[in-house]
Structure formats: C-alpha cells, structure tokens
C-alpha cells in the first residue's frame, strides 16, 4: 500500500485495511471497533460523537442533495450508536467560483433536514480554495447525541437475534451513479436519503431489546453485515427473497452488472433485535413513513461465526463476501 | 454576491458577509455571535462544540504540517470558549494517488499534537476523491470540551479590561505563504502552530477573571480584535510598540507589502482580563513555553465602541480596519 486508490474510500475491504494500517496503527485503541461513533462519559451519562465528510457528485440528485445527505448521514450514525441526536456542526470546503444561489439552496436543505430530525445545527466553518483545488463543494458534519441505555455497537449481536431491514435497497447508490453519468432520463429512480430519527427513537421509548444497528451506506448491506458478523462473531443468515429491491434498481443492476447488496443506501437501517422484541420492533418501525416496507430479512446464528450467508431464491446458499474494489465512487 | 470568491474564505469582511447572508439567514439564530464554538447544556454542566476544515497548502511547512494544524486549531478554538478540550474527531478527504507514507506522517503528527494537548482523537472518517477533484488532502476536525465556569464569548469584554497577547505575531501566515511560493530558502522563519492547553488551562485553575479569548488565525489580530470590539461594543486601544513582531516577519512584510496584523497565527492567544487579574494572568501565561513573550498590548475603553485604534510608534493614532480582500489564501 504505497498510494491511495479509489478503493480505499469505497467502504469495502481496502478501506478497512487503510483504517487499520494508518489510523488504528497510529492511535492504537486496543479494542478498536469499526462502529460509526465514539462514546464519551459525561456527568454520569454517555455522549455519542461522530464525524463524516460528504463528497457526493453530483451535488443535486433525484431525492436529495449533498446538504440533506450530510445531515441525514450524521443523524443516522448517531442513531446506530443507540443515541438521540442533539446537535450538529458543519464545515464547508468551497471551490472559488461556486454559485452562492446553490450554496443557499444547500444550506436550506440542511436546515430542513435538521428540523425533520429534531437536531440543531449549532456551529460551522467555511473554507474557500482556488479553482481546481476542490470539485465545487465538500461538507463535513459532526454530531453529538445522548446515549439511550448503554449504547450500541456492532459487537453485541447474539445468536437468535432477528434482523430487520427497514426499507428497499440500492436506490441511493444507483441514483447518484446514474445521475452523474447522465443516464437517469426516463428512469423512475430516486435516492432514499432521509434522517431516520422518527423511525428509530420510538424503539428506545418502548424499550425494545435492540442489540445493534447499522445504516448500510458505502459498501451496502454486504459491507455492513460482514462487519457486524465479524464484530459479534456470529453467522448471519439472509433470506434473499425477503430483501426488497425496487424493480428499477434490479433492472439497472442487471444491465450494469452491479451487485445490489453492495450499493449504498442513505435512508434505511439494519436492526438486530432479540427474538422476543422482533414483532414489536417491526410494528414500531412500520408506523414511520420511512419504514412502511420494513421486514425481517434474516437472523444471527452460532454456526459459521464471522460470515454472512445468503439463502437464494433458488433455495441454495452462498457466501456474501465483504465487498472489495472501487464499487461506486463519490456516492456520499 | 453571485459567486464564491477567494476573499469569502479569508477571514475578513467578505467572509463575515457570506456567513451572515447564507448561513445565519438560513439557520437564523437571533443572537448569532461570531464565536468559534457553540454551547450545549448537558446534565447541569455545559459542553463546547466546534468544527474547522483545514486546507493548508503546502501540507508540510517549517514548524508544522496540516495534521498539527488541524488538532491545534480545534483545541485552541475550544480554549477560546473557556472550555477544557476533551475529545476530537477527524475526517479526511484524500485525493486518489496521495502517498500513504505522507498520510501516516500526518496521522502521527496529529497523535503527537493531541497527546501534547491532553485530548483524545476518538473517531474519524475517510473519503477518497478521484485525481483532480481535491488538492491532495483536506482534514476537518471537530472538538468537544467541558466549559469551565460560565463559558466565554467575544461579547463579554468590559471597558478597563487589559489585553494580553501571548506571543509574537505573523509567523504562521508568512511561513506558509513563503513555503508555498518556495521563497523560504535562507529565511529563519517557522510557523508558531501549537495547542495552547497547557498555557490557558491554568487561568481557570487559578480563577483568573478572564472575560474573552480569541486565537487570531485567519485575518490575524486585525480581524479578531475588530470582531470582539463589535461584539462587546467597546473601543480597543492597541499599543503598536508592545506587539512583538519577529525581525524576519517584519522584514518580509515590508518587502511584500503585507500588513502583519492581518497575518494568521496558530500558536498565540488574545486574552481579555479584568484589570485586577492582569498581572496574575501574565505570570501564569509566561510560565508556559508558548507564552514566554506574553505582554499586555492594549486595553478596552468605553470610547469609540466597536472600533480598534492603534497607537503607533510615532505617537499617532490610527484606525485598525477590519481586513478585507483575499489576504493570504490557504494558510489553514
């Protein structure tokens, strides 16, 4: 590993290696976990803290824009930690010559998304770089949340846990890819990007026994589930026929040779819940507009620890590998 | 204002206008203050929250690098709020092809700077963009601190307050500018970039009556002091002969036609303190290696509210205006 490749940012195996070899090797937390948040003790309670940069191209796409993405992505990361999102900060790196009207539109989109999620945008920063030094606009958002209960990690899944997927897969990654390549004309596709606080917070209010959550962004379901299988050392069994794929997404994946389970999503959540809480969790999630198509798509087992198996529509079983390679660049 | 100009990121008047017209107009805090942190209530205590992106060019310069800058800058912003820095998050936007050895060196510099400041780097993110979509590496850091006492804002300066400057001015901005233009050869200049926790925290431990602090980064002393004069509606009187300028900085400013009071600094602090605490504050600051050259450089008055006046070496007085224009780009 001498130079950074596109695959180092794609959410797959190579990104994990970069993080381990450069950052974990330097900062050295002995118990490093690839979760989306850190926890800090604070006056007897716990605080979740997260950060993400957004470099999506194009900046505006059907269903959303970089501003909605930057707020929703950070809100959803806090939710995966079992935290109630409280406050966000946002930093803008802007290329000289960028249109102020576009910047205002993006700022308004961020404000609307934050209001929807019930979080405050409380502080920020702007930097301008000369023409050619950045591609139009990058946004970094950091978030703080109050941990409900003891907090969640991908390491807490137990054999027997049911796996809920809250909505159909693949639309965000595919929409952004096709919008960038100007192949969207006539397609009925849009990104699912959404802040999921209204769907997830009731799980805490009703004390549903949730063991882990993950929003399957870069690397899709395949990356998120492989990470959790390794962290928790359980085997994950997925039922392919239960995973909702919009017809337009399935058709485009077939035509382009893309694996839908590797595509990024920005408005769905994977929820691992103890069996006795599964029905209640599903009921609560389905009562949110973003969770209407939620269903149980698999379960955790004690066989094949660290692996993800897909039971196909044909009745066969196959390993779902950790994605690798470039996947789809700049989708978030 | 139709397109973003370099001046919109330079820390001067135009940046203030951009922030007011785009961000404040959108998020609308009625009591917006141009401070570097936001405050959040948390379990009876208060938390300070800040974010900054770093786009410095070159990435390595005499005295520091983008990693040291990204940690020190965010630590110092927390200190200006009257907070004890606790934890940082860091997000990396990396251009495809960037050297992994350089990335490791920068990660190690961040770890060393964080250790020096007594803060933990707890979470992060990496994005990779294709060649040409970013200029090598941008880092965004966000920080959380515990507010000591009631927290500081630039709005709390009172007539009579003494103004302490903790070290000489101009070296960071000038060093980065000359390093970028490859004009540094033979110059004995280096950036002052440093995390100032060891110098500032004893002020709280000893209950010194500090009313405001500001680290004079983009836009230099001129921007920082004009902001505070406006926020507090006091007049600020500066004594030019008391402001330490390293001879190499003064000579280069003369040769290049730069105003040293507009140049960015990354390792000094402006401290406003009630008159009865000024001596104690100076003593404490001077006992830190970064504060040996600290001195009182001026005072707050009730005349000329909102303005900064410079008493020159010649005995005359002149207005020190809010800087405007491009100033020096990409110095942080």
């Amino acid at each position: 590993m001498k130079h950074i490749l596109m695959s180092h940012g794609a959410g797959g195996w190579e990104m994990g290696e970069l993080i381990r070899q450069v950052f974990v090797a330097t900062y050295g937390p002995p118990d490093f976990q690839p979760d989306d948040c850190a926890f800090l003790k604070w006056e007897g309670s716990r605080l979740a803290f997260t950060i993400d940069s957004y470099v999506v191209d194009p900046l505006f796409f059907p269903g959303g824009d970089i501003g909605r993405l930057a707020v929703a992505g950070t809100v959803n990361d806090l939710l995966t930690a079992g935290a109630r999102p409280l406050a966000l900060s946002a930093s803008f790196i802007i290329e000289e010559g960028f249109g102020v009207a576009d910047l205002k539109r993006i700022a308004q989109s961020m404000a609307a998304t934050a209001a929807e999620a019930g979080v405050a945008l409380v502080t920020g920063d702007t930097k301008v770089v000369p023409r050619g030094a950045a591609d139009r606009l990058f946004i970094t958002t950091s978030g703080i949340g109050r941990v409900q209960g003891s907090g969640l990690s991908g390491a807490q899944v137990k054999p027997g846990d049911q796996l809920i997927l809250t909505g159909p897969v693949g639309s965000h990654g595919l929409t952004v890819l096709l919008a960038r390549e100007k192949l969207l004309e006539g397609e009925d596709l849009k990104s699912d990007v959404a802040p999921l606080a209204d769907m997830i917070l009731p799980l805490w209010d009703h004390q549903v026994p949730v063991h882990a959550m993950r929003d399957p962004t870069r690397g899709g379901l395949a990356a998120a589930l492989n990470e959790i299988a390794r962290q928790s050392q359980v085997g994950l069994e997925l039922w392919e026929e239960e995973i909702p794929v919009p017809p337009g997404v399935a058709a485009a994946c077939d035509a382009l040779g893309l694996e839908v389970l590797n595509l990024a999503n920005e408005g769905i959540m994977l929820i691992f819940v103890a069996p006795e809480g599964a029905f209640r969790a599903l009921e609560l999630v389905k009562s949110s507009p973003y969770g209407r198509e939620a269903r149980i798509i698999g379960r955790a087992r004690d066989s094949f620890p660290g692996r993800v198996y897909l039971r196909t529509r044909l009745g066969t079983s196959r390993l779902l590998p950790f994605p690798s390679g470039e996947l789809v660049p700049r989708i978030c």
Side-chain angles (χ1 to χ4, degrees), chain A:
Chain A
M1 198 198 298
K2 289 190 90 167
H3 294 95
I4 297 294
L5 309 173
M6 289 304 294
S7 59
H8 285 123
W13 182 84
E14 295 87 345
M15 192 171 87
E17 278 305 292
L18 175 72
I19 290 171
R20 276 183 287 275
Q21 290 188 28
V22 175
F23 299 108
V24 179
T26 302
Y27 306 120
D31 58 346
F32 173 76
Q33 294 287 346
D35 291 313
D36 290 322
C37 290
F39 295 116
L40 303 173
K41 284 187 194 150
W42 193 285
E43 313 283 5
S45 66
R46 288 214 296 169
L47 177 157
F49 187 28
T50 188
I51 192 167
D52 269 292
S53 290
Y54 297 87
V55 298
V56 67
D57 172 29
L59 298 174
F60 300 93
F61 46 82
D65 57 66
I66 188 173
R68 182 165 175 81
L69 193 61
V71 171
T74 296
V75 162
N76 294 344
D77 279 350
L78 290 170
L79 293 169
T80 66
R84 184 179 295 270
L86 289 182
L88 303 185
S89 58
S91 192
F92 297 77
I93 296 173
I94 314 171
E95 185 185 15
E96 178 187 15
F98 189 71
V100 172
D102 280 346
L103 191 62
K104 282 186 183 167
R105 193 175 147 201
I106 288 164
Q108 283 157 4
S109 171
M110 293 179 78
T113 310
E116 185 186 342
V119 296
L121 272 158
V122 294
T123 187
D125 180 47
T126 53
K127 292 288 187 307
V128 179
V129 296
R131 270 174 213 276
D135 185 7
R136 291 163 289 158
L137 177 67
F138 303 141
I139 300 177
T140 301
T141 43
S142 180
I144 291 177
R146 180 189 299 269
V147 176
Q148 311 290 301
S150 54
L152 295 181
S153 155
Q156 293 162 5
V157 175
K158 291 180 180 50
D161 281 358
Q162 304 288 295
L163 170 56
I164 294 172
L165 174 67
T166 65
V169 299
S171 62
H172 177 77
L174 196 65
T175 300
V176 171
L177 174 68
L178 295 183
R180 181 161 63 224
E181 306 299 334
K182 301 190 172 49
L183 294 171
L184 255 187
E185 216 171 303
E187 298 287 340
D188 187 24
L189 280 175
K190 64 174 191 169
S191 165
D192 61 349
V193 56
L196 301 175
D198 278 354
M199 182 175 78
I200 297 300
L201 291 175
L203 297 172
W204 301 112
D205 299 335
H206 291 83
Q207 310 201 342
V208 175
V210 173
H211 289 164
M213 282 195 272
R214 189 69 51 105
D215 56 331
T217 58
R218 277 184 289 180
L221 259 64
L225 293 174
N226 271 283
E227 276 179 8
I228 286 180
R230 286 185 198 175
Q231 283 180 268
S232 290
Q233 282 299 301
V234 293
L236 295 180
E237 180 184 287
L238 295 190
W239 308 317
E240 187 177 31
E241 64 188 351
E242 296 299 325
I243 302 174
V245 181
V249 171
C253 282
D254 278 351
L256 298 167
L258 297 169
E259 165 61 80
V260 70
L261 299 182
N262 291 351
L263 287 177
N265 312 279
E266 295 288 346
I268 59 174
M269 195 68 89
L270 292 160
I271 306 172
F272 289 88
V273 60
E276 69 274 16
F279 179 76
R280 187 82 179 109
L282 200 55
E283 197 179 48
L284 287 167
V285 165
K286 284 169 87 79
S287 70
S288 155
Y290 295 126
R292 282 201 202 103
E293 296 184 56
R295 57 179 76 184
I296 295 174
I297 65 159
R299 58 176 176 157
R301 304 181 57 174
D302 49 15
S303 49
F304 305 108
R307 307 244 162 163
V308 183
Y309 278 86
L310 195 67
R311 291 231 172 152
T312 68
R313 285 189 180 79
L314 306 172
T316 60
S317 249
R318 71 172 174 93
L319 192 68
L320 182 69
F322 208 101
S324 71
E326 291 199 12
L327 307 173
V328 183
R330 292 188 71 184
I331 41 69
C332 62

